[in-house]
Amino acid sequence: MSYQDYIEHFGEIFEVQAKPSGIHTAPLKAFIDELNFMLSKHSRVFLFRFDLRFADDNILTDNSKIITIFIRRLRRFIEPHYKTKDLAYSWARELEKAKHQHYHFVLMLDGNRINHPQSLCKKIRQIWFEISGGSPYWSKWYCFHRTDDNLRSAAVKHVSYIFKVRGKGYKPKQARDYGHSRMDTRR
């Protein structure tokens, strides 16, 4: 955990949103690894951050099954629609503000296959509603070339919010606070 406004990862310095609660650096670095892997495979990366909310604020899941189902169904849409098997992601389970559970999600795809989230938003909304009854909240998306360090840094700073300490840890032992696609292990 860190309270610094910057983290170092493999010799690179990234500005992050660590204030006021601190930031979990291990899952943030895992996200950066996923992003870097996508940039090593594709000249452009599409990155989309959104939140997944439940219809009922009293829902508390006791495991990570719902997010696993969401990812599986999203993958079944993305692979044929965008003609890619490279789907990288990171997510965080959070419980705060009167203890309402929700998920923060960041999705990374080949930016040569997608450069705007319009049809993706429709499908995400449909999938999440079907499995939870809830709705997503759209945060921000980026589409940048692998040499655009400024946009990459801005995306890392924006996404770093999901790795904040506040709201984490309120879960049964079967549930996880974070998850990642681990694309770099699929070489």
Side-chain angles (χ1 to χ4, degrees):
M1 182 169 43
S2 173
Y3 292 93
Q4 301 296 315
D5 292 332
Y6 295 87
I7 66 158
E8 183 272 331
H9 189 50
F10 291 119
E12 288 188 279
I13 305 294
F14 295 96
E15 188 176 358
V16 297
Q17 299 182 58
K19 303 288 193 265
S21 72
I23 196 163
H24 288 282
T25 56
L28 173 58
K29 289 177 179 183
F31 153 72
I32 294 169
D33 290 341
E34 293 297 285
L35 175 59
N36 287 342
F37 181 77
M38 289 296 286
L39 287 166
S40 74
K41 281 194 78 173
H42 306 287
S43 61
R44 292 168 43 97
V45 168
F46 171 83
L47 184 147
F48 187 27
R49 192 179 90 64
F50 53 91
D51 300 339
L52 299 168
R53 300 172 177 169
F54 290 92
D56 181 349
D57 287 338
N58 296 316
I59 290 179
L60 295 174
T61 60
D62 59 358
N63 57 43
S64 302
K65 187 176 180 178
I66 196 163
I67 199 70
T68 301
I69 293 167
F70 171 76
I71 293 165
R72 190 176 315 128
R73 292 188 60 192
L74 185 60
R75 181 179 299 281
R76 280 198 307 247
F77 166 73
I78 287 173
E79 287 181 357
H81 187 80
Y82 295 109
K83 296 175 181 47
T84 184
K85 291 194 180 286
D86 292 337
L87 182 150
Y89 58 83
S90 292
W91 58 263
R93 180 185 193 270
E94 198 164 280
L95 192 60
E96 66 174 323
K97 292 193 178 170
K99 305 298 182 213
H100 299 164
Q101 181 184 327
H102 60 281
Y103 289 92
H104 295 293
F105 202 94
V106 59
L107 176 66
M108 294 164 277
L109 300 170
D110 179 352
N112 297 302
R113 304 274 182 187
I114 177 175
N115 58 20
H116 192 278
Q118 185 174 354
S119 63
L120 186 57
C121 287
K122 290 177 187 174
K123 195 62 175 179
I124 290 169
R125 183 182 315 277
Q126 176 191 345
I127 293 169
W128 187 245
F129 180 78
E130 288 172 358
I131 63 176
S132 76
S135 61
Y137 166 79
W138 313 121
S139 180
K140 193 168 186 175
W141 61 274
Y142 300 81
C143 193
F144 53 93
H145 193 272
R146 69 169 53 121
T147 61
D148 192 337
D149 290 335
N150 290 334
L151 263 181
R152 178 173 158 258
S153 293
V156 168
K157 181 178 180 183
H158 178 73
V159 170
S160 72
Y161 171 82
I162 77 174
F163 304 107
K164 68 186 183 300
V165 172
R166 190 182 76 239
K168 308 302 187 299
Y170 305 106
K171 62 176 187 58
K173 67 180 182 177
Q174 299 87 352
R176 295 182 293 151
D177 283 327
Y178 300 103
H180 306 279
S181 52
R182 299 189 312 220
M183 290 291 293
D184 61 341
T185 63
R186 298 180 189 181
R187 292 179 200 225

